[in-house]
Amino acid sequence: MRENEVLVQEFTEEAKSHTEKIEVGLLALEKGEKTDDLVNEVFRCAHSIKGTGSFFGLHKIVELAHAMENLLGRVRNKSLDIDQTIIDALLEANDVLKHLIGHVATSNEEDISLSLSALRQFLGENTEGKALTRTLTLQESASVQMQEQRADQDSVDYSSLFKELIKKGHKVYKLCYSPKADRLPTEKAFAEMSGSIHSIGKMLLSRPYGTDIGSGAESDVLFVFSTILDKELVLIALGLDMQAIIELDIRHEEQAVIAELTSLAHSPGKAAMEKIPTRHPSLTTAGQEEEPSPPTRDEERIRVDVGLLNNLVNLSSEMILARNQLLRLLADSAGQIPGLSAVLQKINHTTTSLQENIMQTRMQPVANLFNAIPRMVRELSKSLGKEVALVVEGQEVELDRSIIEGLKDPFTHLIRNALDHGIETPKERERSGKPRTAALRIAASSGCGRVTIDITDDGAGVDVNRVRQKALEKGLVDPEKATSMSENEVLRLVFLPGFSTSEQISSVSGRGVGLDVVKANVEKLGGTVEVYTERRAGTTFRLVLPLTLAIIPSLLVESSGHGFALPQAGLLKILRLVPGEIHKFEEIQGQRVLRLKNTLLPVVMLSEAVGLPPAAVKDRANIPRLLVLQTGTQNFGLVVDKINDREDILVKPLPGYLETKQVYSGVTILGDGKIAMVLDTKGLANTIHRAEEQVADETGTVEKGLSEDVKTKVMLFMASGSETFGLCMAEVARVVPINPQEIEHIGGKEYYYFQGNILRLLHLEQYLPLKPQQPVDRTYLIIPKVNGVKFALVAAKIKDTVETVLHFLPSAFSARGLAGSLLVEGKVVLLLSLPELFTLVEETELAGRRENGQ
Amino acid sequence: MGNKLLTFYVGESLCGIDIAQVKEITRKVEYTEVIAEDDRLIGLMNLRGQVVTLVDLAKMAELPLQERRETYCVVLKEDKKRQDAAGFFADNLGEVLEIESGLRKMPPLREGRTQLAEYVVQREKDLILVFDVYKLLNKA
């Protein structure tokens, strides 16, 4: 039943998100946020799961959810006070629930008695009353239908039916429904109400109550039904008010109820009602009925299949390539065909926007990654006996979905690491004069096309000397090297496989399998990981990730007549090898090297690495190039015959049949439609003979401080003061010189009308701690590349555009809105972080409005 | 395997594949050569944005290799296991035949060129070697 599969899938996703909310809610309650809303929300989530689960016959899930719901219900109506033990029990039950949901197919066979008893002990009473249910299965719901149509209610054995209902925890209600109130024709009203009742429970009896039967005149209708729901929920589910239903007490007044029902059943008019068709219990109403209040979040969202999104991403990338080709082909003829130029411009612009928007669909907030952390920290700190206060910032920062997925494992490990090794026991902390509770801070920030996530602890810091020692012991580094290495270089050693300074291997970590895997995983996603530490003060692990996986800048190179694409990340230098110089290659232990300044660089011939015969000497009309590449701690040179072009490419995965080749990381379709293999820098490095690992470790040619080596284009400008600001070109859409007189002043703010948009002008002086100066006569507007642009920055002077490495100075001057300060050509430049700036602006607005009592 | 066969020539050998496996047939297109240890792989082709792996059917099926004209490229639908599409070259196309199961015969083992085929179809004048390309490919 394909359809059922899809529905179960939807249930699973929804239920999963509910359990996550439950966990977050419970942890918040634990912290002391004892608000009613919070309890309500957790309750609702459990209720939801129970309700929808029942339609799929997921008995254990329903049972467990029901137990949780009962317990939460008690807390909610204040008959139980929430405390640590209750929260523990609920959290644990939630874990089991998560597990069941993760394995729906086999969930009914799992044993949940432990969790159930743990929960029940708080309920204090025997289980019969608030019975845990075996609720309606799809099959039963269908049979409800049939029972409906079964003519004789007489033959129903109420006594045993009631016993069953009691066991299931159902209640019986009598509803006298007057369709007149709804102004619907009786039959329709009957059908609708009947359908609603079916969706929440089981119909026991239904018939017209008044005397005009079958005459078509409007009359009251009587329903008697059983359902799990409490009265208030029934009323809401059926859209009725208080007086409309009466609960029949089948527990204590069984006989009376039976008598009443029998007499009702026997009344005339039954026959007419049988024929009315009733709706199938719809699977979604069970979910909807639990919301006693309107949905608290008005988000307009729809669910989209991830595969579909991936297709969109692929298609949009192909579109970009096709557009590139189109522009290339028509570049010359554009002038000759009237109007063509404008159309090409439009296509160009639209395609770019399309691409950007589609990439946006794959963006998810990092909150998805961060949600699991509080729980993890809680559990770990308990088991390790440490006290940790967790601070999480920047949850709204967005990352490509697949990057978030890929970060889950590395994250877990880094946090375990911080808790296990970094943070000391409370006693140790007190001894060193630190507060007992350690601080663990997880902060995400974005800017300039990348996202930075910091995991900072104020623990013991990494002992550089011990690292050096351990590395020596394990033979991971050469003794000579070890003494001459800089502190940063030694720190980087922790990322080597097999490295660990801990004395024991705990169950949590210490096996030394962690950090190198973390590094590898992060690099696979196109990011980098760095570590900063200060002895006794703490450690920071910094992950820097690209905003998107898909398109990367690359260099198109050629060797032996074949073309390849080499990702630009990790490219340090390009050298021309003038023919005489080839002979400057030396050989050390069988590995070709090049003496470069005072270092030895291992050299890889691309043709060799891919298995091609080297180009015959006479073909080498060109001067071969040597590309200096960096991977991890090693530099090497790659010799290619030609460098053809620079192109942004979309890397597609290698076809399965080629997976053995480590030098390739994927394939790509170039702008001209041809396919090129994409080289893997790391894979190429691996073709170097192992013995030479030590040889190429640069001593100082690469900047220390572990900053990004890739150069970024930054635009320098000045506002009205003397400070120079910088903004990543990637974030700038346009720069427009304007006449200050055209600025409109409305309500104390400044606006400018540009190309159909009304832009709010931002003066940096208003938001950053700067000295405001006089207004100037020439003004420029910097329009940022944002979707739905509404702000523009005001600049007095546009200075220059430089390509520089984003190496931030340890800054004395830092403020919100600034990503950091750079040193560019001897001058200090304050690099803006647009996202932070915009948030700052909006917050200031909000504060201002509140003050004004708006 | 289904009943409709696409027949084609690889060199002098008349071969067939289940037409349900075929995505499309194009005249020889440009492709990028790939150097791989597996010499059954010829290269990669761009089919409207999808990367198709071109394989040497003659090599895989151990058919006698003569001059290859490689006029047509038969692109197969994606292999369910790996989600990658493959394709191969055919020198000439034959007809699409409807084969009744009665006409199928399992190839006798150890007999040269038929042994890698799924089955053979004996007609009056000729013998059609029917292959399952993905099976052959996934073997090694």
Side-chain angles (χ1 to χ4, degrees), chain A residues 730-750:
Chain A
E731 296 186 311
V732 177
R734 295 183 69 123
V735 176
V736 186
I738 62 164
N739 185 344
Q741 265 129 38
E742 288 174 0
I743 298 176
E744 319 246 355
H745 296 261
I746 303 173
K749 303 191 191 121
E750 293 181 356

PDB file of all heavy atoms in Angstrom, chain A residues 730-750:
ATOM      1  N   ALA A 730      31.445  40.102  -2.303  1.00  0.00           N
ATOM      2  CA  ALA A 730      30.390  39.109  -2.517  1.00  0.00           C
ATOM      3  C   ALA A 730      29.057  39.571  -1.962  1.00  0.00           C
ATOM      4  O   ALA A 730      27.995  39.117  -2.382  1.00  0.00           O
ATOM      5  CB  ALA A 730      30.786  37.793  -1.875  1.00  0.00           C
ATOM      6  N   GLU A 731      29.125  40.491  -0.991  1.00  0.00           N
ATOM      7  CA  GLU A 731      27.876  40.926  -0.369  1.00  0.00           C
ATOM      8  C   GLU A 731      27.343  42.202  -0.985  1.00  0.00           C
ATOM      9  O   GLU A 731      26.294  42.697  -0.580  1.00  0.00           O
ATOM     10  CB  GLU A 731      28.101  41.162   1.125  1.00  0.00           C
ATOM     11  CG  GLU A 731      28.477  39.879   1.855  1.00  0.00           C
ATOM     12  CD  GLU A 731      28.566  40.091   3.354  1.00  0.00           C
ATOM     13  OE1 GLU A 731      29.233  41.060   3.748  1.00  0.00           O
ATOM     14  OE2 GLU A 731      27.979  39.293   4.087  1.00  0.00           O
ATOM     15  N   VAL A 732      28.089  42.747  -1.946  1.00  0.00           N
ATOM     16  CA  VAL A 732      27.654  44.027  -2.517  1.00  0.00           C
ATOM     17  C   VAL A 732      26.971  43.792  -3.849  1.00  0.00           C
ATOM     18  O   VAL A 732      27.503  43.114  -4.711  1.00  0.00           O
ATOM     19  CB  VAL A 732      28.871  44.951  -2.729  1.00  0.00           C
ATOM     20  CG1 VAL A 732      28.436  46.238  -3.386  1.00  0.00           C
ATOM     21  CG2 VAL A 732      29.552  45.230  -1.406  1.00  0.00           C
ATOM     22  N   ALA A 733      25.795  44.353  -3.982  1.00  0.00           N
ATOM     23  CA  ALA A 733      25.106  44.243  -5.263  1.00  0.00           C
ATOM     24  C   ALA A 733      25.509  45.405  -6.163  1.00  0.00           C
ATOM     25  O   ALA A 733      25.887  45.229  -7.304  1.00  0.00           O
ATOM     26  CB  ALA A 733      23.599  44.223  -5.065  1.00  0.00           C
ATOM     27  N   ARG A 734      25.419  46.616  -5.623  1.00  0.00           N
ATOM     28  CA  ARG A 734      25.749  47.795  -6.426  1.00  0.00           C
ATOM     29  C   ARG A 734      26.282  48.915  -5.557  1.00  0.00           C
ATOM     30  O   ARG A 734      26.014  48.970  -4.370  1.00  0.00           O
ATOM     31  CB  ARG A 734      24.492  48.361  -7.080  1.00  0.00           C
ATOM     32  CG  ARG A 734      23.816  47.520  -8.073  1.00  0.00           C
ATOM     33  CD  ARG A 734      22.672  48.300  -8.625  1.00  0.00           C
ATOM     34  NE  ARG A 734      23.172  49.393  -9.436  1.00  0.00           N
ATOM     35  CZ  ARG A 734      22.838  49.565 -10.699  1.00  0.00           C
ATOM     36  NH1 ARG A 734      22.040  48.713 -11.273  1.00  0.00           N
ATOM     37  NH2 ARG A 734      23.300  50.593 -11.373  1.00  0.00           N
ATOM     38  N   VAL A 735      27.003  49.784  -6.211  1.00  0.00           N
ATOM     39  CA  VAL A 735      27.387  51.025  -5.555  1.00  0.00           C
ATOM     40  C   VAL A 735      26.877  52.149  -6.448  1.00  0.00           C
ATOM     41  O   VAL A 735      27.143  52.177  -7.643  1.00  0.00           O
ATOM     42  CB  VAL A 735      28.921  51.121  -5.422  1.00  0.00           C
ATOM     43  CG1 VAL A 735      29.294  52.450  -4.823  1.00  0.00           C
ATOM     44  CG2 VAL A 735      29.419  49.976  -4.559  1.00  0.00           C
ATOM     45  N   VAL A 736      26.134  53.060  -5.856  1.00  0.00           N
ATOM     46  CA  VAL A 736      25.498  54.098  -6.674  1.00  0.00           C
ATOM     47  C   VAL A 736      25.842  55.476  -6.127  1.00  0.00           C
ATOM     48  O   VAL A 736      25.623  55.752  -4.946  1.00  0.00           O
ATOM     49  CB  VAL A 736      23.962  53.935  -6.612  1.00  0.00           C
ATOM     50  CG1 VAL A 736      23.296  54.906  -7.550  1.00  0.00           C
ATOM     51  CG2 VAL A 736      23.572  52.510  -6.904  1.00  0.00           C
ATOM     52  N   PRO A 737      26.382  56.338  -6.954  1.00  0.00           N
ATOM     53  CA  PRO A 737      26.580  57.707  -6.462  1.00  0.00           C
ATOM     54  C   PRO A 737      25.245  58.446  -6.526  1.00  0.00           C
ATOM     55  O   PRO A 737      24.515  58.316  -7.518  1.00  0.00           O
ATOM     56  CB  PRO A 737      27.579  58.299  -7.471  1.00  0.00           C
ATOM     57  CG  PRO A 737      27.428  57.478  -8.694  1.00  0.00           C
ATOM     58  CD  PRO A 737      26.824  56.156  -8.319  1.00  0.00           C
ATOM     59  N   ILE A 738      24.938  59.165  -5.473  1.00  0.00           N
ATOM     60  CA  ILE A 738      23.661  59.881  -5.501  1.00  0.00           C
ATOM     61  C   ILE A 738      23.835  61.316  -5.060  1.00  0.00           C
ATOM     62  O   ILE A 738      24.826  61.702  -4.449  1.00  0.00           O
ATOM     63  CB  ILE A 738      22.608  59.221  -4.586  1.00  0.00           C
ATOM     64  CG1 ILE A 738      23.090  59.241  -3.130  1.00  0.00           C
ATOM     65  CG2 ILE A 738      22.300  57.812  -5.017  1.00  0.00           C
ATOM     66  CD1 ILE A 738      21.992  58.974  -2.144  1.00  0.00           C
ATOM     67  N   ASN A 739      22.858  62.063  -5.378  1.00  0.00           N
ATOM     68  CA  ASN A 739      22.796  63.439  -4.965  1.00  0.00           C
ATOM     69  C   ASN A 739      22.113  63.479  -3.599  1.00  0.00           C
ATOM     70  O   ASN A 739      20.967  63.051  -3.473  1.00  0.00           O
ATOM     71  CB  ASN A 739      21.953  64.211  -6.003  1.00  0.00           C
ATOM     72  CG  ASN A 739      21.954  65.684  -5.709  1.00  0.00           C
ATOM     73  OD1 ASN A 739      22.318  66.121  -4.618  1.00  0.00           O
ATOM     74  ND2 ASN A 739      21.523  66.442  -6.697  1.00  0.00           N
ATOM     75  N   PRO A 740      22.800  63.963  -2.579  1.00  0.00           N
ATOM     76  CA  PRO A 740      22.204  63.936  -1.244  1.00  0.00           C
ATOM     77  C   PRO A 740      20.844  64.619  -1.183  1.00  0.00           C
ATOM     78  O   PRO A 740      20.039  64.329  -0.314  1.00  0.00           O
ATOM     79  CB  PRO A 740      23.207  64.693  -0.371  1.00  0.00           C
ATOM     80  CG  PRO A 740      24.453  64.772  -1.150  1.00  0.00           C
ATOM     81  CD  PRO A 740      24.161  64.502  -2.584  1.00  0.00           C
ATOM     82  N   GLN A 741      20.600  65.509  -2.145  1.00  0.00           N
ATOM     83  CA  GLN A 741      19.300  66.177  -2.097  1.00  0.00           C
ATOM     84  C   GLN A 741      18.155  65.259  -2.460  1.00  0.00           C
ATOM     85  O   GLN A 741      17.009  65.551  -2.157  1.00  0.00           O
ATOM     86  CB  GLN A 741      19.274  67.372  -3.061  1.00  0.00           C
ATOM     87  CG  GLN A 741      19.617  68.648  -2.329  1.00  0.00           C
ATOM     88  CD  GLN A 741      20.694  69.393  -3.023  1.00  0.00           C
ATOM     89  OE1 GLN A 741      20.706  69.423  -4.245  1.00  0.00           O
ATOM     90  NE2 GLN A 741      21.583  69.992  -2.272  1.00  0.00           N
ATOM     91  N   GLU A 742      18.479  64.157  -3.109  1.00  0.00           N
ATOM     92  CA  GLU A 742      17.400  63.248  -3.497  1.00  0.00           C
ATOM     93  C   GLU A 742      16.988  62.327  -2.365  1.00  0.00           C
ATOM     94  O   GLU A 742      16.107  61.500  -2.517  1.00  0.00           O
ATOM     95  CB  GLU A 742      17.836  62.408  -4.701  1.00  0.00           C
ATOM     96  CG  GLU A 742      17.899  63.231  -5.966  1.00  0.00           C
ATOM     97  CD  GLU A 742      18.474  62.419  -7.101  1.00  0.00           C
ATOM     98  OE1 GLU A 742      18.813  61.231  -6.857  1.00  0.00           O
ATOM     99  OE2 GLU A 742      18.603  62.956  -8.197  1.00  0.00           O
ATOM    100  N   ILE A 743      17.637  62.455  -1.256  1.00  0.00           N
ATOM    101  CA  ILE A 743      17.285  61.603  -0.122  1.00  0.00           C
ATOM    102  C   ILE A 743      16.011  62.150   0.509  1.00  0.00           C
ATOM    103  O   ILE A 743      15.901  63.329   0.802  1.00  0.00           O
ATOM    104  CB  ILE A 743      18.404  61.595   0.939  1.00  0.00           C
ATOM    105  CG1 ILE A 743      19.681  61.020   0.331  1.00  0.00           C
ATOM    106  CG2 ILE A 743      17.982  60.782   2.161  1.00  0.00           C
ATOM    107  CD1 ILE A 743      20.859  61.058   1.266  1.00  0.00           C
ATOM    108  N   GLU A 744      15.073  61.268   0.708  1.00  0.00           N
ATOM    109  CA  GLU A 744      13.813  61.688   1.308  1.00  0.00           C
ATOM    110  C   GLU A 744      13.862  61.474   2.807  1.00  0.00           C
ATOM    111  O   GLU A 744      14.313  60.441   3.282  1.00  0.00           O
ATOM    112  CB  GLU A 744      12.669  60.829   0.752  1.00  0.00           C
ATOM    113  CG  GLU A 744      12.766  60.550  -0.717  1.00  0.00           C
ATOM    114  CD  GLU A 744      11.646  61.211  -1.459  1.00  0.00           C
ATOM    115  OE1 GLU A 744      10.770  61.796  -0.802  1.00  0.00           O
ATOM    116  OE2 GLU A 744      11.656  61.152  -2.696  1.00  0.00           O
ATOM    117  N   HIS A 745      13.380  62.458   3.521  1.00  0.00           N
ATOM    118  CA  HIS A 745      13.348  62.316   4.965  1.00  0.00           C
ATOM    119  C   HIS A 745      11.919  62.086   5.408  1.00  0.00           C
ATOM    120  O   HIS A 745      11.066  62.938   5.228  1.00  0.00           O
ATOM    121  CB  HIS A 745      13.899  63.570   5.641  1.00  0.00           C
ATOM    122  CG  HIS A 745      15.338  63.792   5.322  1.00  0.00           C
ATOM    123  ND1 HIS A 745      16.349  63.430   6.177  1.00  0.00           N
ATOM    124  CD2 HIS A 745      15.942  64.288   4.224  1.00  0.00           C
ATOM    125  CE1 HIS A 745      17.513  63.724   5.629  1.00  0.00           C
ATOM    126  NE2 HIS A 745      17.289  64.244   4.429  1.00  0.00           N
ATOM    127  N   ILE A 746      11.649  60.936   5.938  1.00  0.00           N
ATOM    128  CA  ILE A 746      10.288  60.616   6.361  1.00  0.00           C
ATOM    129  C   ILE A 746      10.349  60.093   7.782  1.00  0.00           C
ATOM    130  O   ILE A 746      11.062  59.129   8.064  1.00  0.00           O
ATOM    131  CB  ILE A 746       9.670  59.521   5.459  1.00  0.00           C
ATOM    132  CG1 ILE A 746       9.704  59.982   4.000  1.00  0.00           C
ATOM    133  CG2 ILE A 746       8.247  59.219   5.890  1.00  0.00           C
ATOM    134  CD1 ILE A 746       9.280  58.914   3.037  1.00  0.00           C
ATOM    135  N   GLY A 747       9.604  60.741   8.658  1.00  0.00           N
ATOM    136  CA  GLY A 747       9.531  60.274  10.038  1.00  0.00           C
ATOM    137  C   GLY A 747      10.874  60.126  10.697  1.00  0.00           C
ATOM    138  O   GLY A 747      11.127  59.183  11.426  1.00  0.00           O
ATOM    139  N   GLY A 748      11.751  61.044  10.400  1.00  0.00           N
ATOM    140  CA  GLY A 748      13.046  61.000  11.069  1.00  0.00           C
ATOM    141  C   GLY A 748      14.019  60.021  10.436  1.00  0.00           C
ATOM    142  O   GLY A 748      15.153  59.879  10.866  1.00  0.00           O
ATOM    143  N   LYS A 749      13.593  59.289   9.391  1.00  0.00           N
ATOM    144  CA  LYS A 749      14.516  58.370   8.748  1.00  0.00           C
ATOM    145  C   LYS A 749      14.748  58.802   7.315  1.00  0.00           C
ATOM    146  O   LYS A 749      13.988  59.597   6.771  1.00  0.00           O
ATOM    147  CB  LYS A 749      13.923  56.960   8.773  1.00  0.00           C
ATOM    148  CG  LYS A 749      13.611  56.507  10.170  1.00  0.00           C
ATOM    149  CD  LYS A 749      13.278  55.027  10.216  1.00  0.00           C
ATOM    150  CE  LYS A 749      12.712  54.712  11.580  1.00  0.00           C
ATOM    151  NZ  LYS A 749      11.384  54.161  11.519  1.00  0.00           N
ATOM    152  N   GLU A 750      15.765  58.237   6.742  1.00  0.00           N
ATOM    153  CA  GLU A 750      16.089  58.638   5.383  1.00  0.00           C
ATOM    154  C   GLU A 750      15.801  57.496   4.420  1.00  0.00           C
ATOM    155  O   GLU A 750      16.115  56.335   4.694  1.00  0.00           O
ATOM    156  CB  GLU A 750      17.579  58.985   5.281  1.00  0.00           C
ATOM    157  CG  GLU A 750      17.911  60.224   6.081  1.00  0.00           C
ATOM    158  CD  GLU A 750      19.369  60.585   5.968  1.00  0.00           C
ATOM    159  OE1 GLU A 750      20.130  59.833   5.336  1.00  0.00           O
ATOM    160  OE2 GLU A 750      19.742  61.624   6.517  1.00  0.00           O
TER     161      GLU A 750
END
